[in-house]
């Protein structure tokens, strides 16, 4: 198994030699997925942590009426399924879909907790996994807050306020296109586009594709 571990949080403070030693004791495998292929289906029992090493995936949920909610989109270097892997027998509630041709490294979570001569390496990986999981919980709380408003404008303002804060600027680029943003905010796409146009006409924001500029900073308070 050969992967570039540089700048991958899961392998922080772990050398290539240490990872090679750990892989001799822990079940690790790389699988490839075509664009549009499902990596995990809702209802699956997941037992492995997944690290995206190439490509892009989306985490989605469909309700009983077939409406899709985009929960997240992940780039190379990010992990998914770690919560379900740690809980073992809890069915996955989401679909994970390959947005483009992707490669995923799967790590059997139970092997990390087995006693071995490489315990110190396992502990580093577990520590990194906990840090990543904690950060995700914070982001989930943020999303709940952003979508707490009953109006589309309120949700847009909450979202843009956070982006302005983390970018330390009133001008920034968001990672979502319109369809993805409507899914993320759980609103109708055409209604979102209409509200953005109204906010632009009202002199509150300016935008072009996924580049935004807040013109009236008062909306951030």
């Amino acid at each position: 198994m050969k992967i570039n571990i540089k700048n991958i949080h899961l392998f922080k403070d772990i050398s290539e030699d240490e990872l090679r030693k750990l892989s001799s004791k822990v079940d690790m495998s790389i699988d490839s997925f075509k664009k549009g292929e499902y990596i995990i289906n809702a209802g699956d029992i997941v037992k492995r942590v997944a690290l995206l090493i190439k490509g892009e995936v989306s985490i989605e949920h469909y309700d009983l009426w077939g409406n899709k909610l985009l929960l997240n989109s992940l780039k190379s270097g990010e992990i998914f399924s770690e919560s379900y892997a740690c809980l073992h027998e809890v069915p996955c509630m989401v679909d994970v879909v390959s947005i483009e041709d992707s490669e995923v490294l799967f790590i059997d979570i139970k092997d990390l907790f087995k006693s071995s001569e490489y315990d110190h390496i396992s502990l580093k990986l577990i520590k990194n996994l906990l840090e990543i999981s904690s950060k995700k919980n914070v982001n989930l709380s943020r999303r709940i807050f952003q979508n707490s408003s009953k109006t589309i404008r309120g949700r847009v303002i909450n979202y843009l306020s956070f982006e302005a804060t983390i970018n330390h600027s009133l001008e920034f680029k968001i990672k979502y296109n319109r369809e993805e943003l409507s899914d993320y905010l759980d609103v109708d796409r055409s209604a979102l586009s209409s509200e953005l146009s109204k906010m632009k006409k009202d002199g509150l924001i300016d935008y072009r594709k996924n580049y935004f500029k807040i013109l009236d900073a008062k909306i951030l308070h």
Side-chain angles (χ1 to χ4, degrees):
M1 181 185 67
K2 181 65 176 178
I3 61 174
N4 182 8
I5 66 175
K6 185 179 180 181
N7 298 324
I8 295 179
H9 192 165
L10 184 62
F11 300 134
K12 185 179 71 172
D13 299 326
I14 297 176
S15 68
E16 290 186 359
D17 183 58
E18 286 178 321
L19 181 59
R20 185 168 56 253
K21 290 178 180 178
L22 187 62
S23 66
S24 68
K25 297 293 182 179
V26 176
D27 182 15
M28 298 184 184
S29 61
I30 296 176
D31 290 340
S32 299
F33 298 89
K34 296 294 185 181
K35 178 180 178 180
E37 188 174 357
Y38 280 68
I39 301 172
I40 297 174
N41 290 278
D44 286 352
I45 299 297
V46 178
K47 298 182 179 180
R48 300 183 295 174
V49 175
L51 168 68
L52 183 63
I53 57 177
K54 177 184 176 182
E56 183 176 358
V57 304
S58 64
I59 300 178
E60 307 168 353
H61 173 71
Y62 285 86
D63 63 23
L64 292 174
W65 296 270
N67 300 308
K68 183 178 78 172
L69 174 62
L70 175 66
L71 299 175
N72 205 355
S73 59
L74 304 178
K75 306 287 187 179
S76 176
E78 297 186 90
I79 69 170
F80 56 94
S81 77
E82 71 281 2
S83 296
Y84 292 103
C86 290
L87 292 173
H88 301 298
E89 298 303 325
V90 176
C92 188
M93 297 175 62
V94 298
D95 296 307
V96 182
V97 185
S98 185
I99 298 176
E100 56 188 50
D101 290 354
S102 304
E103 292 184 358
V104 179
L105 169 67
F106 292 99
I107 304 174
D108 194 321
I109 192 73
K110 70 177 186 301
D111 287 348
L112 290 177
F113 297 95
K114 291 179 179 178
S115 178
S116 76
E117 59 184 302
Y118 303 127
D119 274 353
H120 64 292
I121 309 175
S122 295
L123 287 174
K124 288 182 184 180
L125 199 149
I126 292 170
K127 176 179 177 292
N128 294 339
L129 187 61
L130 181 59
E131 289 178 354
I132 296 170
S133 183
S134 298
K135 184 177 180 180
K136 284 188 174 184
N137 286 334
V138 171
N139 289 336
L140 178 59
S141 297
R142 169 174 57 84
R143 183 174 185 181
I144 291 172
F145 167 75
Q146 289 174 347
N147 289 356
S148 63
S149 176
K150 294 182 179 180
T151 67
I152 296 177
R153 177 168 295 198
R155 295 188 181 193
V156 170
I157 289 174
N158 286 341
Y159 176 76
L160 295 181
S161 294
F162 178 80
E163 291 296 321
T165 299
I166 63 174
N167 284 282
H168 305 289
S169 173
L170 297 180
E171 300 181 42
F172 46 84
K173 191 175 183 180
I174 67 173
K175 66 178 182 178
Y176 298 125
N177 59 34
R178 289 296 176 273
E179 182 176 358
E180 293 169 337
L181 183 59
S182 66
D183 288 339
Y184 180 84
L185 297 178
D186 196 18
V187 298
D188 179 76
R189 179 181 176 180
S190 60
L192 173 64
S193 296
S194 176
E195 188 57 49
L196 289 174
S197 295
K198 291 177 182 177
M199 293 176 71
K200 186 174 184 178
K201 184 178 180 181
D202 292 342
L204 302 177
I205 62 173
D206 193 14
Y207 59 88
R208 182 170 57 85
K209 294 186 177 179
N210 61 341
Y211 169 82
F212 281 79
K213 182 177 182 179
I214 296 177
L215 303 176
D216 188 350
K218 291 195 297 293
I219 68 173
L220 302 180
H221 305 291

